[in-house]
Amino acid sequence: MIVLAIETSCDETAAAVVQGGREILSSVVSSQIAIHAAYGGVVPEIASRKHLESIVPVINQALDDAGVGMGDLEGVAVTRGPGLSGALLVGFSVAKAIAAARKIPYVGVHHIEGHLFAPLLEQPVAFPFLALVVSGGHTHLYHVEGFGHYTTLGRTIDDAAGEAYDKCAKIMGMPYPGGVLIDRMAQSGNPDAIRLPRPLLRDGTCNFSFSGLKTAVLQHLQKHPVTLPGQEADDLCASFQEAVCHVLAAKTEAAIRQTGAARLVVAGGVACNSGLRSRMKELCGKAGVELFIPHPLLCGDNAAMLAVPGDYYLTNGFASQRSLDVTATWDMDLIKESMK
Ligand code: KG4
Ligand code: ZN
């Protein structure tokens, strides 16, 4: 099936053409980051308006790059949620309009389903697998038995890992989104320089908490201000990264023990992080678990990833109704109910 995939849940307008749910014919991502950076974070109203401006050119570019026309499309996969409602509505309305005009099916996909299946665009991953999804809005451990069959093993009880990175960067005076900048500076810093907390490390669950870590960074900076760039700032970034990666790895290890998983997928924007990537390789090497982390281009928000579950749903009779609406929040564990 040739599927057009569309993603507008936050600050990236993205479209892709994917064949058979695996082969990327094109993938276009238009980022609004530079616009939102001036406000220190994503402004929902601006995001919706920018999606409106970009969505048609981005889709046309994806079709051109793939060398296909509207008439070649056999289905549409689009992010239905979670995300900013106004932003989601732009992509969702366009997806429905294309499906109606071309008389082809469309399916509304969970944004995180896209993230956790991104590795399948590069290589096969057999079910079941354990998935750690780390993004700006999510830090979740899922047991994945098949498309649509997800069980949450653990989740953040406050900030997501990406949110913690971005907030810590902001406190240090870096522009939004600072996750990638902290990662870069951490590489020249000493991870043992500053002792930061490891929240919920020994609570016996697979849950996470990152808001206390952000507070600890703030309190450290009040006593020991740092200037950018500089060795002290690099040390703080390295110590912060060490704390985040330590907790992510420890909880993932607990989930591997709990499920006996043979495969681990790490996905979402924070899966670009160099510290996390090497920590996960080390963990999986020791535990004898096969590790799948997508190329950084497929870790951040993109539309191609949505076509993986999208193609499955469309070819297995799970197309969405025309009356379906977007949803700002959506529990992944509830999807299996709709597949009975
Ligand atoms: O998955 P994503 O692109 O969008 C959401 O669905 O949220 O993730 C974006 C998040 C941001 O918080 C960003 O700072 C973080 O991923 N991120 C990183 C890195 N690259 C992106 N965090 C730490 N290290 C990185 N290298
Ligand atoms: Zn995302």
Side-chain angles (χ1 to χ4, degrees):
M1 201 173 205
I2 295 183
V3 168
L4 171 68
I6 299 172
E7 152 65 33
T8 63
S9 66
C10 190
D11 57 352
E12 257 98 32
T13 316
V17 180
V18 177
Q19 188 156 25
R22 300 292 183 277
E23 190 192 344
I24 302 175
L25 303 183
S26 67
S27 178
V28 179
V29 180
S30 168
S31 176
Q32 306 175 0
I33 280 178
I35 297 155
H36 297 289
Y39 302 92
V42 178
V43 183
E45 173 79 15
I46 295 175
S48 310
R49 288 171 187 274
K50 287 290 154 194
H51 284 310
L52 263 183
E53 274 174 33
S54 308
I55 190 72
V56 173
V58 164
I59 290 174
N60 285 339
Q61 185 69 52
L63 294 174
D64 280 358
D65 290 356
V68 302
M70 282 281 182
D72 298 313
L73 301 177
E74 296 168 283
V76 184
V78 59
T79 306
R80 181 187 165 218
L84 305 168
S85 295
L88 288 163
L89 276 169
V90 176
F92 207 66
S93 305
V94 170
K96 279 190 187 184
I98 292 174
R102 300 306 316 169
K103 297 189 172 49
I104 54 176
Y106 89 101
V107 63
V109 177
H110 195 296
H111 179 78
I112 296 302
E113 274 188 287
H115 277 304
L116 62 86
F117 288 119
L120 277 74
L121 293 163
E122 298 175 321
Q123 59 189 305
V125 183
F127 293 117
F129 59 81
L130 178 69
L132 171 69
V133 179
V134 271
S135 72
H138 282 73
T139 299
H140 279 61
L141 276 162
Y142 296 107
H143 179 57
V144 180
E145 288 165 89
F147 288 107
H149 292 264
Y150 320 114
T151 305
T152 301
L153 303 172
R155 55 173 299 168
T156 180
I157 58 167
D158 41 55
D159 293 350
E163 193 180 356
Y165 262 97
D166 296 341
K167 284 180 176 169
C168 177
K170 192 173 183 175
I171 296 168
M172 291 181 72
M174 297 179 208
Y176 171 86
V180 65
L181 302 174
I182 292 195
D183 187 10
R184 214 172 287 154
M185 290 168 65
Q187 288 166 43
S188 330
N190 172 8
D192 301 318
I194 299 137
R195 181 72 201 162
L196 294 171
R198 271 47 171 172
L200 303 189
L201 190 61
R202 288 180 223 292
D203 71 336
T205 75
C206 291
N207 290 333
F208 305 91
S209 166
F210 292 109
S211 73
L213 195 48
K214 167 198 65 193
T215 309
V217 169
L218 183 63
Q219 286 168 345
H220 174 84
L221 283 169
Q222 282 163 350
K223 285 190 216 136
H224 313 278
V226 297
T227 44
L228 297 173
Q231 189 57 47
E232 282 165 352
D234 290 353
D235 287 347
L236 183 55
C237 290
S239 302
F240 173 81
Q241 183 142 305
E242 176 62 23
V244 173
C245 293
H246 183 175
V247 178
L248 289 173
K251 297 288 181 158
T252 304
E253 194 176 2
I256 290 172
R257 274 201 306 272
Q258 187 182 319
T259 58
R263 287 164 290 278
L264 170 69
V265 161
V266 182
V270 184
C272 292
N273 186 269
S274 60
L276 185 62
R277 290 176 90 93
S278 54
R279 186 69 75 110
M280 288 295 161
K281 270 185 207 136
E282 195 187 319
L283 167 65
C284 288
K286 276 191 199 149
V289 168
E290 210 180 342
L291 175 65
F292 301 88
I293 311 185
H295 184 281
L297 283 177
L298 289 173
C299 288
D301 285 349
N302 66 88
M305 64 186 192
L306 300 165
V308 182
D311 189 277
Y312 173 84
Y313 292 134
L314 291 169
T315 52
N316 287 278
F318 295 105
S320 297
Q321 300 289 324
R322 209 58 81 60
S323 56
L324 192 70
D325 198 357
V326 299
T327 174
T329 57
W330 189 0
D331 186 343
M332 288 265 284
D333 294 37
L334 299 179
I335 297 177
K336 49 180 169 280
E337 296 303 316
S338 61
M339 297 191 66
K340 279 180 182 160

